[in-house]
Amino acid sequence: MSAPAMGTTKTAHSDVAPKKKRGPGALATAYLVIYNVVMTAGWLVIAVGLVRAYLARGSYHGLYYSIEKPLKFFQTGALLEVSGIVPSSVVLTGFQVLSRVFLTWAVTHSVREVQNEDSVLLFVSAWTITEIIRYSFYTFSLLNHLPYLVKWARYTFFLVLYPMGVTGELLTVYAALPYVQKTGLYSVTLPNKYNFSFDYHTFLILTMVSYIPLFPQLYFHMMRQRKKVLCHVEEYKTE
Amino acid sequence: MSRTTFFERNIGRTRNIGRITVEVLDGRTRQQLCFLDKVEPHATIGEIKSLFHKSYQQLYPARQDLKLDPKGKSLRDDDVLQNLPVGTTATIYFKDLGPQVGWTMVFLAEYLGPLFIYLLFYFRAPYIYSHQDVFTSSPYSVVTLACACHTCHYIKRLIEAIFVHRFSHGTMPLRTIVRNCVYYWAFSAWLAFYINHPLYTPPSYGDMQVNYALAIFVLCELGNFSIHVALNNLKAEGGPKCRRFPHPTKNPFTWLFFFVSCPNYTYEVGAWASFSVMTQCLPVALFTFLAFIQMTIWAKGKHKTYSREFKDYPQLRMPIIPLLL
């Protein structure tokens, strides 16, 4: 899903509380700063790549190919966040990252026919803007110099970007369905030696259905975080 | 008040056994829910719960979670009021654990489901497979054998749940049961679907594979049953106060206690592993794997508890797999 990682709950609380939180040690902090700077830079590269490709071609169509490689690299790189070194909920972060990686590799990469769809551009743009803000938020937070603008952006932009990303993702999966069914991609049928079957087409449909209970939960969670973080700003303004 | 020591103050207290006033507050809202005047100091928490139940009909004792500190540990039913760090007024915090179900009912629900669901698939009830396969039977003997094994496994579990097991806690929350039942029922449906499918492929090594796997399955089931009986006898002899850990007995199946803390789990994994081999069915193997992970977690916990509680606990024993895990 395209929402910013939920795992910032603890970081968000650290914005609210003026006292120093029990953060990671010096070495871990250095590692995290480098990681977040690299990720910010990576997503900026993707953003720039999209803009340049658009200006060169003059249309929104087929921009995926211009940023395919960095997208795969940096989105997959987010798996490192699930390592547990980052002070966030492993379950929520893990779930987010896995769903993004799933969409990148198991849908967009695997089903070539959807790569030209506008829905791909929709979720890629949503992810790009979200991640640039999110990683710069982490970077600044770790350095204890968080500009209010970044914090505000991180807790406000999701209001539009999250639904935008989810729409793009769902439309892409939906577009992939006929091709998956036709080619039997990633599917196993009976009879076989191990008496097992898997229908990727049905699996994708179930994935789409799972958005119904999950998306509202994550969205409202972020809204609650927003209220908590931004409404305390008058009392605890950071520099 | 003169400067008496804590000791002196409390000596006076135990000699002068007065009644205790108990107030029960809601753990979250701190609202007073119940006020019990003149409670006997030797009353137990269980009795407090019964008294509380009188005021709140729906909140039977099993649903009540009582604590002295809202963030602290729950009080046990057999804790005695005067042995707790309370003064003449005890403030107890209450939390509603939600509807509870007795363990026996839990197991009945969890085991009857898979038992009947598997049979539905075995007899190929309508709407599962294609229309022409309704109520047909498989030409393979291994399919009938698998049905017998699966059915006997769950009948055994039901018998144990009703006649053998003695449970330490009385109940389980309703939400947990629903979750567990969904898991057991869905998984047994999934594996029954493949084993009884018209396109089922029998094991690659034929009868040899089936027979060896069957033998191991039967041995593991007997082993598992022996362990449950042994554990039960341990509880029966000792009672709740006398804590002992299980030992090997004359029954050869219990000799696994030399090597593992929880041989019942070992045998359970063995039974399901042999069932996977017997049916050569990947979903069964997956179920076995997940069960193995869960039981390993439980076994490790139990092993740690034993090791901490008994200083003479045998060093050789591993939690679930001899010499390894």
Side-chain angles (χ1 to χ4, degrees):
Chain A
M1 307 211 184
S2 65
M6 292 308 111
T8 54
T9 319
K10 289 199 182 144
T11 340
H13 284 173
S14 77
D15 299 329
V16 176
K19 46 191 192 301
K20 200 160 171 234
K21 67 181 197 293
R22 279 178 296 126
L27 193 63
T29 310
Y31 161 80
L32 288 171
V33 170
I34 293 171
Y35 174 79
N36 284 303
V37 166
V38 166
M39 294 303 266
T40 313
W43 285 96
L44 278 166
V45 162
I46 295 171
V48 167
L50 283 171
V51 171
R52 289 184 64 186
Y54 170 68
L55 291 173
R57 283 173 209 244
S59 92
Y60 290 111
H61 205 62
L63 293 182
Y64 170 76
Y65 300 104
S66 53
I67 43 84
E68 186 181 358
K69 285 205 172 57
L71 175 72
K72 286 176 177 171
F73 182 79
F74 288 101
Q75 186 57 79
T76 314
L79 282 169
L80 291 170
E81 277 171 60
V82 197
S83 65
I85 300 179
V86 182
S88 46
S89 158
V90 178
V91 173
L92 283 170
T93 320
F95 173 73
Q96 288 263 5
V97 172
L98 280 173
S99 70
R100 290 272 197 94
V101 167
F102 174 77
L103 223 97
T104 308
W105 289 101
V107 182
T108 316
H109 166 80
S110 304
V111 187
R112 315 213 65 221
E113 293 85 348
V114 305
Q115 289 167 4
N116 272 314
E117 295 279 331
D118 291 339
S119 55
V120 173
L121 179 64
L122 194 62
F123 74 73
V124 169
S125 325
W127 291 3
T128 307
I129 304 172
T130 305
E131 298 301 69
I132 293 171
I133 298 171
R134 183 167 76 93
Y135 286 116
S136 28
F137 172 85
Y138 289 155
T139 311
F140 287 120
S141 297
L142 283 163
L143 298 172
N144 286 315
H145 274 78
L146 181 67
Y148 178 69
L149 183 65
V150 176
K151 182 160 76 171
W152 180 85
R154 193 244 188 283
Y155 283 101
T156 307
F157 276 46
F158 82 91
L159 290 167
V160 169
L161 292 175
Y162 193 10
M164 192 171 125
V166 166
T167 310
E169 292 170 28
L170 285 174
L171 285 172
T172 308
V173 175
Y174 184 71
L177 289 178
Y179 300 105
V180 169
Q181 187 165 52
K182 193 170 63 171
T183 60
L185 182 69
Y186 299 145
S187 301
V188 178
T189 55
L190 290 175
N192 58 69
K193 200 160 66 151
Y194 295 111
N195 294 304
F196 173 70
S197 70
F198 178 71
D199 185 23
Y200 192 48
H201 181 255
T202 313
F203 180 76
L204 285 177
I205 293 176
L206 289 175
T207 306
M208 288 174 73
V209 170
S210 74
Y211 273 63
I212 298 175
L214 294 171
F215 161 68
Q217 278 189 47
L218 293 168
Y219 194 64
F220 290 128
H221 172 81
M222 277 306 280
M223 286 181 85
R224 281 194 297 270
Q225 287 301 101
R226 176 169 200 268
K227 223 178 261 183
K228 223 185 267 189
V229 170
L230 294 184
C231 290
H232 283 229
V233 101
E234 289 85 65
E235 300 151 59
Y236 301 114
K237 217 170 193 120
T238 49
E239 60 281 56
Chain B
M1 204 194 231
S2 61
R3 285 188 303 161
T4 51
T5 61
F6 178 79
F7 182 68
E8 286 165 292
R9 260 182 268 141
N10 281 286
I11 280 281
R13 183 167 289 137
T14 47
R15 240 187 262 140
N16 182 20
I17 302 171
R19 306 287 185 87
I20 299 180
T21 313
V22 177
E23 56 165 5
V24 183
L25 310 178
D26 185 297
R28 265 182 313 127
T29 64
R30 303 289 200 270
Q31 222 188 344
Q32 192 189 75
L33 298 171
C34 189
F35 189 82
L36 301 165
D37 216 359
K38 299 203 198 61
V39 180
E40 292 285 335
H42 53 256
T44 61
I45 293 296
E47 287 163 19
I48 303 286
K49 286 186 180 175
S50 304
L51 290 168
F52 186 85
H53 179 39
K54 289 209 179 88
S55 313
Y56 295 89
Q57 293 288 356
Q58 284 153 304
L59 301 175
Y60 42 86
R63 254 178 104 149
Q64 298 175 36
D65 179 29
L66 298 181
K67 300 178 181 175
L68 288 174
D69 172 6
K71 294 195 186 67
K73 256 180 59 179
S74 302
L75 296 168
R76 294 162 48 112
D77 278 7
D78 53 8
D79 283 338
V80 177
L81 211 53
Q82 69 179 9
N83 295 339
L84 296 170
V86 298
T88 45
T89 307
T91 305
I92 298 184
Y93 295 93
F94 162 84
K95 186 172 123 171
D96 184 6
L97 294 170
Q100 302 283 303
V101 182
W103 276 104
T104 314
M105 278 307 295
V106 170
F107 282 133
L108 251 73
E110 286 179 2
Y111 301 153
L112 281 172
L115 190 67
F116 286 114
I117 288 172
Y118 192 101
L119 290 172
L120 277 176
F121 284 86
Y122 178 72
F123 291 112
R124 296 188 181 157
Y127 304 108
I128 299 175
Y129 304 112
S130 58
H131 186 67
Q132 70 256 33
D133 295 314
V134 172
F135 294 130
T136 55
S137 56
S138 172
Y140 304 114
S141 58
V142 66
V143 172
T144 310
L145 194 60
C147 182
C149 288
H150 189 271
T151 307
C152 287
H153 175 81
Y154 282 101
I155 289 179
K156 169 189 151 289
R157 281 216 199 172
L158 283 164
I159 292 175
E160 284 173 348
I162 300 170
F163 297 110
V164 177
H165 287 308
R166 260 169 254 251
F167 302 109
S168 34
H169 318 281
T171 64
M172 190 196 227
L174 186 66
R175 232 177 296 135
T176 314
I177 301 168
V178 173
R179 186 198 68 191
N180 288 0
C181 280
V182 167
Y183 176 77
Y184 279 114
W185 294 25
F187 231 121
S188 59
W190 194 48
L191 56 92
F193 175 77
Y194 289 109
I195 299 172
N196 300 295
H197 201 282
L199 294 175
Y200 172 76
T201 311
S204 310
Y205 296 98
D207 282 347
M208 184 181 75
Q209 181 173 341
V210 173
N211 293 333
Y212 275 118
L214 178 67
I216 298 177
F217 178 83
V218 172
L219 287 173
C220 287
E221 291 286 342
L222 289 172
N224 180 268
F225 184 74
S226 309
I227 302 301
H228 284 152
V229 168
L231 289 172
N232 202 51
N233 290 339
L234 198 70
K235 271 205 195 120
E237 289 163 24
K241 295 294 176 193
C242 168
R243 306 268 309 170
R244 291 167 47 212
F245 62 86
H247 289 275
T249 66
K250 287 202 206 75
N251 182 341
F253 286 115
T254 63
W255 296 350
L256 201 50
F257 270 121
F258 282 121
F259 298 103
V260 289
S261 300
C262 301
N264 50 325
Y265 295 145
T266 317
Y267 283 123
E268 183 77 21
V269 173
W272 281 105
S274 57
F275 189 67
S276 312
V277 170
M278 190 169 81
T279 54
Q280 198 166 297
C281 182
L282 194 61
V284 183
L286 187 62
F287 181 75
T288 308
F289 180 65
L290 293 175
F292 173 63
I293 292 175
Q294 175 66 86
M295 286 192 275
T296 303
I297 295 171
W298 290 336
K300 283 192 172 224
K302 193 106 210 162
H303 182 78
K304 207 188 260 188
T305 311
Y306 281 151
S307 304
R308 249 193 247 139
E309 200 169 332
F310 303 103
K311 296 198 185 56
D312 58 339
Y313 200 70
Q315 295 279 34
L316 183 63
R317 286 194 194 180
M318 298 297 275
I320 187 171
I321 307 288
L323 308 174
L324 291 177
L325 191 58

mmCIF file with all atom_site columns, all heavy atoms in Angstrom, chain B residues 192-203:
data_model
loop_
_atom_site.group_PDB
_atom_site.id
_atom_site.type_symbol
_atom_site.label_atom_id
_atom_site.label_alt_id
_atom_site.label_comp_id
_atom_site.label_asym_id
_atom_site.label_entity_id
_atom_site.label_seq_id
_atom_site.pdbx_PDB_ins_code
_atom_site.Cartn_x
_atom_site.Cartn_y
_atom_site.Cartn_z
_atom_site.occupancy
_atom_site.B_iso_or_equiv
_atom_site.pdbx_formal_charge
_atom_site.auth_seq_id
_atom_site.auth_comp_id
_atom_site.auth_asym_id
_atom_site.auth_atom_id
_atom_site.pdbx_PDB_model_num
ATOM 1   N N   . ALA B 1 192 ? -8.064  -31.566 3.082   1.00 0.00 ? 192 ALA B N   1
ATOM 2   C CA  . ALA B 1 192 ? -9.009  -32.615 2.674   1.00 0.00 ? 192 ALA B CA  1
ATOM 3   C C   . ALA B 1 192 ? -9.380  -32.464 1.198   1.00 0.00 ? 192 ALA B C   1
ATOM 4   O O   . ALA B 1 192 ? -9.584  -33.463 0.491   1.00 0.00 ? 192 ALA B O   1
ATOM 5   C CB  . ALA B 1 192 ? -10.266 -32.551 3.531   1.00 0.00 ? 192 ALA B CB  1
ATOM 6   N N   . PHE B 1 193 ? -9.449  -31.212 0.745   1.00 0.00 ? 193 PHE B N   1
ATOM 7   C CA  . PHE B 1 193 ? -9.791  -30.943 -0.650  1.00 0.00 ? 193 PHE B CA  1
ATOM 8   C C   . PHE B 1 193 ? -8.838  -31.659 -1.598  1.00 0.00 ? 193 PHE B C   1
ATOM 9   O O   . PHE B 1 193 ? -9.255  -32.273 -2.583  1.00 0.00 ? 193 PHE B O   1
ATOM 10  C CB  . PHE B 1 193 ? -9.765  -29.439 -0.896  1.00 0.00 ? 193 PHE B CB  1
ATOM 11  C CG  . PHE B 1 193 ? -9.988  -29.045 -2.323  1.00 0.00 ? 193 PHE B CG  1
ATOM 12  C CD1 . PHE B 1 193 ? -11.261 -29.077 -2.869  1.00 0.00 ? 193 PHE B CD1 1
ATOM 13  C CD2 . PHE B 1 193 ? -8.932  -28.659 -3.129  1.00 0.00 ? 193 PHE B CD2 1
ATOM 14  C CE1 . PHE B 1 193 ? -11.479 -28.724 -4.199  1.00 0.00 ? 193 PHE B CE1 1
ATOM 15  C CE2 . PHE B 1 193 ? -9.137  -28.299 -4.455  1.00 0.00 ? 193 PHE B CE2 1
ATOM 16  C CZ  . PHE B 1 193 ? -10.415 -28.329 -4.991  1.00 0.00 ? 193 PHE B CZ  1
ATOM 17  N N   . TYR B 1 194 ? -7.537  -31.575 -1.295  1.00 0.00 ? 194 TYR B N   1
ATOM 18  C CA  . TYR B 1 194 ? -6.562  -32.170 -2.197  1.00 0.00 ? 194 TYR B CA  1
ATOM 19  C C   . TYR B 1 194 ? -6.479  -33.681 -2.070  1.00 0.00 ? 194 TYR B C   1
ATOM 20  O O   . TYR B 1 194 ? -6.344  -34.378 -3.079  1.00 0.00 ? 194 TYR B O   1
ATOM 21  C CB  . TYR B 1 194 ? -5.178  -31.552 -1.957  1.00 0.00 ? 194 TYR B CB  1
ATOM 22  C CG  . TYR B 1 194 ? -5.114  -30.139 -2.431  1.00 0.00 ? 194 TYR B CG  1
ATOM 23  C CD1 . TYR B 1 194 ? -5.054  -29.089 -1.541  1.00 0.00 ? 194 TYR B CD1 1
ATOM 24  C CD2 . TYR B 1 194 ? -5.161  -29.846 -3.796  1.00 0.00 ? 194 TYR B CD2 1
ATOM 25  C CE1 . TYR B 1 194 ? -5.024  -27.774 -1.981  1.00 0.00 ? 194 TYR B CE1 1
ATOM 26  C CE2 . TYR B 1 194 ? -5.140  -28.538 -4.244  1.00 0.00 ? 194 TYR B CE2 1
ATOM 27  C CZ  . TYR B 1 194 ? -5.077  -27.514 -3.333  1.00 0.00 ? 194 TYR B CZ  1
ATOM 28  O OH  . TYR B 1 194 ? -5.051  -26.229 -3.775  1.00 0.00 ? 194 TYR B OH  1
ATOM 29  N N   . ILE B 1 195 ? -6.543  -34.183 -0.864  1.00 0.00 ? 195 ILE B N   1
ATOM 30  C CA  . ILE B 1 195 ? -6.390  -35.630 -0.680  1.00 0.00 ? 195 ILE B CA  1
ATOM 31  C C   . ILE B 1 195 ? -7.548  -36.374 -1.345  1.00 0.00 ? 195 ILE B C   1
ATOM 32  O O   . ILE B 1 195 ? -7.362  -37.429 -1.958  1.00 0.00 ? 195 ILE B O   1
ATOM 33  C CB  . ILE B 1 195 ? -6.300  -35.988 0.817   1.00 0.00 ? 195 ILE B CB  1
ATOM 34  C CG1 . ILE B 1 195 ? -5.089  -35.308 1.437   1.00 0.00 ? 195 ILE B CG1 1
ATOM 35  C CG2 . ILE B 1 195 ? -6.216  -37.492 1.016   1.00 0.00 ? 195 ILE B CG2 1
ATOM 36  C CD1 . ILE B 1 195 ? -5.020  -35.452 2.946   1.00 0.00 ? 195 ILE B CD1 1
ATOM 37  N N   . ASN B 1 196 ? -8.755  -35.815 -1.230  1.00 0.00 ? 196 ASN B N   1
ATOM 38  C CA  . ASN B 1 196 ? -9.928  -36.506 -1.765  1.00 0.00 ? 196 ASN B CA  1
ATOM 39  C C   . ASN B 1 196 ? -10.324 -36.044 -3.161  1.00 0.00 ? 196 ASN B C   1
ATOM 40  O O   . ASN B 1 196 ? -11.408 -36.373 -3.640  1.00 0.00 ? 196 ASN B O   1
ATOM 41  C CB  . ASN B 1 196 ? -11.099 -36.313 -0.792  1.00 0.00 ? 196 ASN B CB  1
ATOM 42  C CG  . ASN B 1 196 ? -10.774 -36.874 0.574   1.00 0.00 ? 196 ASN B CG  1
ATOM 43  O OD1 . ASN B 1 196 ? -10.600 -38.072 0.731   1.00 0.00 ? 196 ASN B OD1 1
ATOM 44  N ND2 . ASN B 1 196 ? -10.658 -35.992 1.556   1.00 0.00 ? 196 ASN B ND2 1
ATOM 45  N N   . HIS B 1 197 ? -9.433  -35.286 -3.780  1.00 0.00 ? 197 HIS B N   1
ATOM 46  C CA  . HIS B 1 197 ? -9.730  -34.754 -5.103  1.00 0.00 ? 197 HIS B CA  1
ATOM 47  C C   . HIS B 1 197 ? -9.731  -35.862 -6.158  1.00 0.00 ? 197 HIS B C   1
ATOM 48  O O   . HIS B 1 197 ? -8.924  -36.779 -6.087  1.00 0.00 ? 197 HIS B O   1
ATOM 49  C CB  . HIS B 1 197 ? -8.668  -33.712 -5.458  1.00 0.00 ? 197 HIS B CB  1
ATOM 50  C CG  . HIS B 1 197 ? -9.089  -32.751 -6.514  1.00 0.00 ? 197 HIS B CG  1
ATOM 51  N ND1 . HIS B 1 197 ? -9.091  -33.076 -7.855  1.00 0.00 ? 197 HIS B ND1 1
ATOM 52  C CD2 . HIS B 1 197 ? -9.537  -31.485 -6.416  1.00 0.00 ? 197 HIS B CD2 1
ATOM 53  C CE1 . HIS B 1 197 ? -9.517  -32.028 -8.545  1.00 0.00 ? 197 HIS B CE1 1
ATOM 54  N NE2 . HIS B 1 197 ? -9.793  -31.055 -7.702  1.00 0.00 ? 197 HIS B NE2 1
ATOM 55  N N   . PRO B 1 198 ? -10.626 -35.763 -7.152  1.00 0.00 ? 198 PRO B N   1
ATOM 56  C CA  . PRO B 1 198 ? -10.614 -36.767 -8.231  1.00 0.00 ? 198 PRO B CA  1
ATOM 57  C C   . PRO B 1 198 ? -9.271  -36.846 -8.961  1.00 0.00 ? 198 PRO B C   1
ATOM 58  O O   . PRO B 1 198 ? -8.922  -37.895 -9.488  1.00 0.00 ? 198 PRO B O   1
ATOM 59  C CB  . PRO B 1 198 ? -11.705 -36.271 -9.179  1.00 0.00 ? 198 PRO B CB  1
ATOM 60  C CG  . PRO B 1 198 ? -12.597 -35.450 -8.333  1.00 0.00 ? 198 PRO B CG  1
ATOM 61  C CD  . PRO B 1 198 ? -11.752 -34.850 -7.256  1.00 0.00 ? 198 PRO B CD  1
ATOM 62  N N   . LEU B 1 199 ? -8.517  -35.741 -8.959  1.00 0.00 ? 199 LEU B N   1
ATOM 63  C CA  . LEU B 1 199 ? -7.225  -35.745 -9.644  1.00 0.00 ? 199 LEU B CA  1
ATOM 64  C C   . LEU B 1 199 ? -6.064  -36.002 -8.694  1.00 0.00 ? 199 LEU B C   1
ATOM 65  O O   . LEU B 1 199 ? -4.922  -35.673 -8.996  1.00 0.00 ? 199 LEU B O   1
ATOM 66  C CB  . LEU B 1 199 ? -7.013  -34.407 -10.361 1.00 0.00 ? 199 LEU B CB  1
ATOM 67  C CG  . LEU B 1 199 ? -7.968  -34.123 -11.519 1.00 0.00 ? 199 LEU B CG  1
ATOM 68  C CD1 . LEU B 1 199 ? -7.724  -32.717 -12.064 1.00 0.00 ? 199 LEU B CD1 1
ATOM 69  C CD2 . LEU B 1 199 ? -7.787  -35.140 -12.635 1.00 0.00 ? 199 LEU B CD2 1
ATOM 70  N N   . TYR B 1 200 ? -6.344  -36.606 -7.549  1.00 0.00 ? 200 TYR B N   1
ATOM 71  C CA  . TYR B 1 200 ? -5.292  -36.897 -6.578  1.00 0.00 ? 200 TYR B CA  1
ATOM 72  C C   . TYR B 1 200 ? -4.272  -37.874 -7.160  1.00 0.00 ? 200 TYR B C   1
ATOM 73  O O   . TYR B 1 200 ? -4.640  -38.836 -7.847  1.00 0.00 ? 200 TYR B O   1
ATOM 74  C CB  . TYR B 1 200 ? -5.912  -37.487 -5.312  1.00 0.00 ? 200 TYR B CB  1
ATOM 75  C CG  . TYR B 1 200 ? -4.914  -38.002 -4.317  1.00 0.00 ? 200 TYR B CG  1
ATOM 76  C CD1 . TYR B 1 200 ? -4.183  -37.118 -3.526  1.00 0.00 ? 200 TYR B CD1 1
ATOM 77  C CD2 . TYR B 1 200 ? -4.676  -39.369 -4.178  1.00 0.00 ? 200 TYR B CD2 1
ATOM 78  C CE1 . TYR B 1 200 ? -3.257  -37.586 -2.616  1.00 0.00 ? 200 TYR B CE1 1
ATOM 79  C CE2 . TYR B 1 200 ? -3.752  -39.841 -3.266  1.00 0.00 ? 200 TYR B CE2 1
ATOM 80  C CZ  . TYR B 1 200 ? -3.042  -38.951 -2.487  1.00 0.00 ? 200 TYR B CZ  1
ATOM 81  O OH  . TYR B 1 200 ? -2.124  -39.410 -1.590  1.00 0.00 ? 200 TYR B OH  1
ATOM 82  N N   . THR B 1 201 ? -3.000  -37.614 -6.895  1.00 0.00 ? 201 THR B N   1
ATOM 83  C CA  . THR B 1 201 ? -1.924  -38.509 -7.335  1.00 0.00 ? 201 THR B CA  1
ATOM 84  C C   . THR B 1 201 ? -1.383  -39.271 -6.128  1.00 0.00 ? 201 THR B C   1
ATOM 85  O O   . THR B 1 201 ? -0.886  -38.644 -5.196  1.00 0.00 ? 201 THR B O   1
ATOM 86  C CB  . THR B 1 201 ? -0.774  -37.699 -7.962  1.00 0.00 ? 201 THR B CB  1
ATOM 87  O OG1 . THR B 1 201 ? -1.311  -36.780 -8.913  1.00 0.00 ? 201 THR B OG1 1
ATOM 88  C CG2 . THR B 1 201 ? 0.233   -38.602 -8.639  1.00 0.00 ? 201 THR B CG2 1
ATOM 89  N N   . PRO B 1 202 ? -1.438  -40.606 -6.118  1.00 0.00 ? 202 PRO B N   1
ATOM 90  C CA  . PRO B 1 202 ? -0.927  -41.350 -4.960  1.00 0.00 ? 202 PRO B CA  1
ATOM 91  C C   . PRO B 1 202 ? 0.593   -41.248 -4.850  1.00 0.00 ? 202 PRO B C   1
ATOM 92  O O   . PRO B 1 202 ? 1.258   -40.854 -5.799  1.00 0.00 ? 202 PRO B O   1
ATOM 93  C CB  . PRO B 1 202 ? -1.369  -42.794 -5.252  1.00 0.00 ? 202 PRO B CB  1
ATOM 94  C CG  . PRO B 1 202 ? -1.624  -42.850 -6.704  1.00 0.00 ? 202 PRO B CG  1
ATOM 95  C CD  . PRO B 1 202 ? -2.013  -41.475 -7.150  1.00 0.00 ? 202 PRO B CD  1
ATOM 96  N N   . PRO B 1 203 ? 1.138   -41.580 -3.674  1.00 0.00 ? 203 PRO B N   1
ATOM 97  C CA  . PRO B 1 203 ? 2.561   -41.391 -3.414  1.00 0.00 ? 203 PRO B CA  1
ATOM 98  C C   . PRO B 1 203 ? 3.468   -42.056 -4.452  1.00 0.00 ? 203 PRO B C   1
ATOM 99  O O   . PRO B 1 203 ? 3.163   -43.114 -4.984  1.00 0.00 ? 203 PRO B O   1
ATOM 100 C CB  . PRO B 1 203 ? 2.761   -42.051 -2.052  1.00 0.00 ? 203 PRO B CB  1
ATOM 101 C CG  . PRO B 1 203 ? 1.447   -41.980 -1.403  1.00 0.00 ? 203 PRO B CG  1
ATOM 102 C CD  . PRO B 1 203 ? 0.431   -42.064 -2.480  1.00 0.00 ? 203 PRO B CD  1
#
